[in-house]
Amino acid sequence: MSAHIIPFPKSAKQPTKEFDPFEEALAEMEERLGVSVSDYLGFSGNPEETKKIVERNMNRETFKILTDLSYNR
């Protein structure tokens, strides 16, 4: 009886993604606002439509926070 060595495939190392706090902050802002930062700042897009989207998303977030606070008393 002899032992057999089972070769495992070499796992390729994933390229390391550098952490950029600025990019992460922009991505979080875009997620919360629902529009791109350039639209929000007025560099592109329709200002009226952007305002409506941002207001809607901020109202949703506010009501969600208020709901969470009222249930966790």
Side-chain angles (χ1 to χ4, degrees):
M1 232 164 72
S2 62
H4 292 280
I5 298 175
I6 301 172
F8 288 100
K10 293 183 180 181
S11 60
K13 288 188 175 184
Q14 297 294 328
T16 57
K17 180 182 174 187
E18 290 187 30
F19 177 73
D20 185 6
F22 183 72
E23 291 293 328
E24 295 290 325
L26 287 179
E28 179 148 343
M29 284 176 59
E30 289 178 350
E31 184 178 330
R32 286 182 68 204
L33 297 173
V35 295
S36 69
V37 174
S38 64
D39 285 353
Y40 181 71
L41 295 175
F43 297 136
S44 63
N46 181 350
E48 294 300 319
E49 184 178 334
T50 300
K51 181 179 176 183
K52 289 178 186 177
I53 293 170
V54 170
E55 285 180 3
R56 183 186 70 221
N57 287 337
M58 291 294 103
N59 285 336
R60 284 182 183 168
E61 185 173 327
T62 302
F63 290 133
K64 183 178 184 295
I65 291 169
L66 289 173
T67 304
D68 291 344
L69 289 174
S70 65
Y71 282 119
N72 291 330
R73 285 186 173 195

